[in-house]
Amino acid sequence: MRLSILLTLPATLLSLIYAQEQHSYTEHLHLKPLPDNSLYAGFTFTSTTPYTAYASNHFRYFPRSLAQILQYTHTAELHLRFALGRWDEESWGSRPRRGLREGGNGVELWAWMDGAEEGWSDLVNSLSGLFCASLNFVDSGKTTRPVLSFEPEGTLEELQRKRSRTGELRLLHGMLPHEVVCTENLTPFLKLLPCKGKAGISSLLDGHKLFDANWQTMAVDVRPVCTPGGDCILEIEQTVDMVLDIERSMRPRESPIPRPLPIEDVTCDETKGYNGHDTCYPRRPKGETAWSLSSVFGRPIRGSCALGGSEKQEYDITFEVPSERTVEITSETTIPQSTTSSGSRTYRLPQNADFDLNLPHQVLGSSAQASTLEQPPLYASRQLTGHGAERGGMHTLLRNPHPYTQRIVYLESLPWFLRPYMHTLALSGAGKMEKMFYTPLLDRKRGTHLELLIEIQPLSTVELTYDFEKAILRYTEYPPDANRGFDIPAAIIRVLPSSNNSQSKQGSYLRTTSLLLPLPTPDFSMPYNVIILTSTVIALGFGSIFNLLVRRFVLVEEVPGNAIAGVVRRVRDGVARIRGMVKGGGVGRVDNGGGGVVKKGEEVVGGEVRKVDGGGRGGKKDR
């Protein structure tokens, strides 16, 4: 028995060591200055764990809260997006990460899972509570099943084979374009990281800076990675991409509103005339703007997220600037640095020291100032056409800027109250529609799913148009801001890989902006007026009838006497008697309060003069 234990001990130790090596955590920050005084910042956080540890609920870097949701809902691969703003392709060039980590405005979610109908509802409700978002509103009316638009990033077939599962994984997709992304979503996003945003490059993520950006997106991607004949690991990649305005980001938080400088501090453009001595046209500064990480993000990087252990850990920063650009490093320790031929510089973060990059003002040569932005694979724009509250149209413009043919997949998920006329669908220009997948809507149950496979010729433009009808909602289905309109989700465009663009099997993605659709809206002030008038009439009628039924009407003589009233009356009579005596000059002359005199044998009772009988006190006195 002891011999068998000793023989199995080395194998157990080796398996533990191998499992420890499969736990890894890396951080990466990519910085790239853009035209118009903008800065692109891309944060990447990657954690891996062995699938055996995931199945046995053993987690080191992988977030337990998210893993338990995936296990309960039988989700094999998950992709979640929070996006805000618009990527300006004309000024900033191609999208970062080929658009793979980008989503439409609001919240977007798609996943491959077993038992799609039952687990999808549990998944969206659980993620809604985890990320403080309104994902629980992704119901059957906002859920579609794309066919060509998405490909799994993980090795799902290999995973199913190793798990001995024969069921087919189903893809479900949902969007919430009206969701407002804010700090409530950033905080749970940071809590999924090992250092919780307290150290490493995640310490730069501040809500005031992130949500003041011109464009930003947060992504959570979970995928299995299996090697043929080997083990599987589960990988989670959390990314944050943003484009900051350098000048606006460097404004102090205490005084965010820009104020004009004194005229003595303004460099005037003498080539333009001006009238007053205290006004002038400011001259545009030459060269590159001076900035630093601490001035743009509000703080330096607080060291690396050193977690200890023998696992793989990497923390670095890639700064993509021309080789002539001066970059100063501020840190208490020596920072390892490497430079590529293109000018990109890579820095490794220190463990227990702050790290800051400082770029002084510098005038670069014409060669360094030349634009090196990569051209996007496709340009796309989408607009609503028509007028009136009954019908409208959709117009999409697709332009291929490259000298080779491209095949794209165009996906639209339309709400049920937008009813497209498919017989009006038309594709004009140098393009050809190869396939179409269409699922019609069901009122209040299912939206429209439209998926097109289009081929676009080189250096050409394609227009996609169709007409639609606007549905009339019930008055209880209108939101509080009904006159604002209803958000239509962005269209998703996937540029398929080919021999000319040398991309992965996913290709590249881009999304149009979301649209605002005005629907026939009733006058909600009329129900308010009816409610007010009806309530007033009911109150007056009910009050009058209630008083008639409850209140008793009696004569004054029938009212029973009151002890307090009797005391008051006697006091008043006594005062009147005293006043009469004073005015009459002695006994026998009492003023009755009305100007008369009370004679002998009379008395004042209740303000009236009455005679006294002989048996009274007056008769006794006379005798």
Side-chain angles (χ1 to χ4, degrees):
M1 183 68 180
R2 294 181 180 179
L3 181 60
S4 61
I5 296 176
L6 292 176
L7 292 177
T8 57
L9 183 59
T12 305
L13 294 177
L14 289 175
S15 62
L16 290 175
I17 294 173
Y18 180 71
Q20 285 289 99
E21 291 178 352
Q22 286 185 317
H23 290 280
S24 64
Y25 177 71
T26 60
E27 292 184 352
H28 180 73
L29 173 61
H30 184 200
L31 299 173
K32 181 181 179 181
L34 297 175
D36 299 331
N37 208 20
S38 300
L39 175 67
Y40 164 73
F43 299 77
T44 306
F45 311 92
T46 306
S47 304
T48 62
T49 184
Y51 205 87
T52 55
Y54 166 76
S56 59
N57 292 325
H58 174 66
F59 306 102
R60 181 167 177 82
Y61 304 132
F62 199 96
R64 179 184 296 272
S65 57
L66 181 59
Q68 292 176 344
I69 294 175
L70 300 179
Q71 291 175 349
Y72 180 75
T73 57
H74 305 286
T75 303
E77 184 171 326
L78 172 70
H79 302 275
L80 179 63
R81 303 286 184 269
F82 299 90
L84 186 65
R86 184 181 71 89
W87 177 268
D88 189 359
E89 296 175 335
E90 300 288 345
S91 302
W92 302 336
S94 181
R95 298 169 184 264
R97 311 176 198 269
R98 305 195 318 274
L100 295 176
R101 298 296 178 259
E102 178 187 349
N105 273 352
V107 182
E108 184 177 351
L109 170 70
W110 69 95
W112 281 266
M113 54 196 316
D114 291 328
E117 300 297 336
E118 299 80 9
W120 177 252
S121 177
D122 296 333
L123 178 64
V124 295
N125 283 279
S126 301
L127 294 178
S128 175
L130 180 62
F131 290 98
C132 298
S134 302
L135 286 166
N136 54 309
F137 288 98
V138 181
D139 52 7
S140 60
K142 298 181 178 65
T143 302
T144 58
R145 293 167 175 81
V147 180
L148 301 175
S149 299
F150 299 100
E151 289 286 341
E153 298 184 10
T155 54
L156 296 183
E157 296 180 358
E158 187 70 21
L159 177 64
Q160 289 290 90
R161 191 179 303 111
K162 291 182 178 297
R163 295 165 59 188
S164 300
R165 298 288 182 87
T166 58
E168 182 181 359
L169 296 175
R170 296 184 180 181
L171 170 63
L172 295 177
H173 176 268
M175 301 179 71
L176 284 178
H178 189 59
E179 181 73 10
V180 179
V181 185
C182 60
T183 310
E184 293 180 353
N185 310 120
L186 176 63
T187 302
F189 181 90
L190 294 177
K191 288 184 178 180
L192 298 180
L193 300 175
C195 288
K196 317 295 183 184
K198 304 299 182 182
I201 63 174
S202 62
S203 61
L204 295 180
L205 293 175
D206 178 60
H208 297 86
K209 301 295 182 179
L210 175 61
F211 298 106
D212 188 48
N214 296 332
W215 173 83
Q216 65 90 11
T217 176
M218 297 187 300
V220 178
D221 298 270
V222 181
R223 59 180 181 179
V225 180
C226 301
T227 58
D231 295 331
C232 296
I233 62 172
L234 193 64
E235 180 183 273
I236 176 173
E237 185 179 66
Q238 298 178 239
T239 59
V240 178
D241 295 325
M242 68 180 81
V243 175
L244 299 169
D245 186 292
I246 295 178
E247 182 181 355
R248 187 171 72 242
S249 298
M250 289 193 299
R251 293 173 188 167
R253 187 179 299 180
E254 297 80 10
S255 180
I257 301 177
R259 292 178 173 82
L261 296 174
I263 191 61
E264 297 82 8
D265 300 338
V266 178
T267 303
C268 298
D269 189 355
E270 302 295 341
T271 60
K272 298 180 180 180
Y274 48 92
N275 298 326
H277 66 281
D278 57 345
T279 58
C280 70
Y281 290 97
R283 179 183 298 173
R284 188 178 182 86
K286 297 182 179 180
E288 302 293 327
T289 305
W291 60 274
S292 63
L293 285 180
S294 56
S295 61
V296 172
F297 291 96
R299 60 175 76 100
I301 299 178
R302 297 171 180 172
S304 63
C305 182
L307 302 174
S310 59
E311 300 86 354
K312 178 184 177 182
Q313 299 177 21
E314 294 181 1
Y315 317 96
D316 55 5
I317 299 175
T318 299
F319 196 21
E320 190 174 344
V321 292
S323 56
E324 294 86 356
R325 188 72 166 100
T326 302
V327 180
E328 300 175 356
I329 306 299
T330 303
S331 181
E332 299 177 356
T333 60
T334 304
I335 305 300
Q337 175 182 347
S338 60
T339 306
T340 61
S341 58
S342 61
S344 298
R345 312 174 193 187
T346 303
Y347 307 94
R348 187 171 179 85
L349 294 179
Q351 288 191 5
N352 300 317
D354 291 348
F355 177 85
D356 195 6
L357 290 176
N358 184 21
L359 284 80
H361 176 75
Q362 185 179 3
V363 179
L364 301 178
S366 57
S367 60
Q369 292 180 353
S371 177
T372 58
L373 296 177
E374 183 181 357
Q375 194 173 27
L378 193 76
Y379 292 95
S381 62
R382 188 174 65 149
Q383 305 85 25
L384 291 174
T385 60
H387 58 85
E390 184 179 2
R391 291 182 176 87
M394 191 76 72
H395 178 267
T396 306
L397 194 66
L398 306 172
R399 181 167 64 91
N400 180 13
H402 298 282
Y404 50 84
T405 302
Q406 293 200 101
R407 299 172 71 241
I408 68 169
V409 178
Y410 181 84
L411 171 65
E412 278 191 346
S413 301
L414 304 176
W416 66 267
F417 49 78
L418 191 151
R419 301 169 176 173
Y421 294 141
M422 297 309 297
H423 69 279
T424 63
L425 179 65
L427 185 68
S428 60
K432 180 178 63 174
M433 187 184 306
E434 298 182 359
K435 292 182 180 180
M436 181 178 71
F437 296 91
Y438 168 67
T439 304
L441 63 90
L442 293 176
D443 283 349
R444 297 174 178 85
K445 294 182 180 180
R446 185 179 65 196
T448 301
H449 166 223
L450 178 62
E451 202 166 6
L452 306 174
L453 179 60
I454 303 174
E455 182 183 272
I456 305 178
Q457 298 300 319
L459 303 175
S460 60
T461 302
V462 172
E463 294 184 10
L464 179 67
T465 59
Y466 61 85
D467 299 333
F468 61 81
E469 180 187 11
K470 304 176 184 179
I472 299 179
L473 307 181
R474 303 189 182 110
Y475 80 95
T476 56
E477 295 174 340
Y478 286 92
D481 54 347
N483 291 290
R484 171 186 174 271
F486 291 78
D487 292 272
I488 305 301
I492 303 174
I493 302 174
R494 177 191 177 193
V495 181
L496 297 176
S498 63
S499 58
N500 295 311
N501 51 27
S502 64
Q503 297 174 353
S504 62
K505 64 177 183 178
Q506 284 83 17
S508 59
Y509 287 84
L510 65 149
R511 287 164 173 82
T512 64
T513 56
S514 57
L515 302 176
L516 201 59
L517 176 68
L519 288 181
T521 306
D523 185 5
F524 287 103
S525 64
M526 293 303 296
Y528 172 77
N529 296 335
V530 171
I531 292 173
I532 294 299
L533 179 60
T534 306
S535 302
T536 304
V537 173
I538 291 177
L540 292 176
F542 176 78
S544 302
I545 296 175
F546 183 79
N547 288 333
L548 291 175
L549 294 176
V550 175
R551 183 176 297 178
R552 289 181 57 196
F553 295 91
V554 295
L555 297 176
V556 177
E557 291 79 5
E558 298 178 7
V559 178
N562 194 352
I564 298 178
V567 173
V568 173
R569 185 167 53 252
R570 286 195 295 270
V571 171
R572 186 177 57 186
D573 293 344
V575 173
R577 186 185 298 275
I578 295 173
R579 289 177 60 186
M581 294 174 60
V582 172
K583 289 183 178 181
V587 179
R589 298 182 59 84
V590 182
D591 192 356
N592 61 3
V597 178
V598 179
K599 298 179 181 179
K600 187 175 180 181
E602 298 177 347
E603 66 178 358
V604 179
V605 179
E608 297 180 357
V609 180
R610 296 180 183 180
K611 292 183 178 182
V612 180
D613 296 337
R617 288 180 300 174
K620 293 180 181 180
K621 185 176 180 180
D622 292 338
R623 289 193 296 267

